[in-house]
Amino acid sequence: MQVIIYKFVDGTTNAVEVTEDIYLIHLELSQQEKRNHWKETRRHTSLYYLMENGIDFEDKRIDIFAEIVRKENAERVHRALLTLSDKRRDLVHKVYYEEMSYRAIAEQIGVTHTAISQRMKTIRKRLQKELRDCSI
């Protein structure tokens, strides 16, 4: 014999002795009720309900203004790079896009790494001037 404890709406409880078969049926019904309740609450929990209870979600939309600024800056840099000679543009490509070290580039070209450093310094100054002129 098993005991089922029944809780009334007013808060009182009553213990009832039942056979094993009835207890298993009661247990299965209780589990099914819990599963149904879980499905219902899961299905009807809205985003607004979650946000009201302090759960917030990251907004993955693009910041339009930041995207416009990024595109304009990329265009300005591209235009500034086009003002460089082919040799200088190739050097910038090796340093920034291929991520080659000054020493590796120097060995490839046949100069010292100090020469590459000076060339890059000159290129940066020229690009900064071009970028300032473009923003005016």
Side-chain angles (χ1 to χ4, degrees):
M1 295 296 271
Q2 294 286 340
V3 176
I4 297 174
I5 298 176
Y6 183 78
K7 291 184 182 179
F8 293 96
V9 177
D10 63 359
T12 59
T13 59
N14 191 6
V16 179
E17 272 192 40
V18 293
T19 63
E20 190 70 31
D21 293 338
I22 293 176
Y23 181 76
L24 290 174
I25 292 170
H26 170 72
L27 191 62
E28 178 61 34
L29 288 173
S30 295
Q31 290 173 346
Q32 184 64 39
E33 186 178 359
K34 285 180 184 177
R35 283 194 295 271
N36 287 343
H37 177 70
W38 180 80
K39 286 178 184 177
E40 283 297 312
T41 55
R42 194 182 108 217
R43 185 177 352 163
H44 294 293
T45 302
S46 70
L47 289 177
Y48 296 115
Y49 173 80
L50 293 173
M51 289 169 60
E52 287 170 1
N53 288 305
I55 299 172
D56 202 3
F57 297 94
E58 180 182 355
D59 188 1
K60 302 231 183 229
R61 293 178 291 186
I62 296 174
D63 180 9
I64 301 297
F65 181 72
E67 185 65 18
I68 290 170
V69 169
R70 189 196 64 75
K71 284 183 179 181
E72 286 178 356
N73 286 339
E75 288 174 14
R76 287 176 49 219
V77 169
H78 181 71
R79 282 194 305 268
L81 286 171
L82 290 176
T83 65
L84 298 175
S85 67
D86 289 341
K87 284 184 179 181
R88 287 182 174 174
R89 204 173 317 129
D90 185 49
L91 183 58
V92 168
H93 189 270
K94 287 178 182 179
V95 170
Y96 291 106
Y97 294 99
E98 296 178 24
E99 298 180 356
M100 292 178 67
S101 68
Y102 288 179
R103 288 194 190 281
I105 297 169
E107 287 176 12
Q108 190 180 54
I109 296 175
V111 297
T112 66
H113 78 281
T114 309
I116 299 298
S117 177
Q118 289 299 319
R119 290 178 188 178
M120 285 304 297
K121 193 179 289 186
T122 304
I123 290 170
R124 277 193 217 89
K125 285 181 183 177
R126 171 115 188 243
L127 287 175
Q128 286 173 347
K129 181 185 179 305
E130 286 293 327
L131 288 172
R132 274 194 304 269
D133 292 345
C134 285
S135 64
I136 297 176

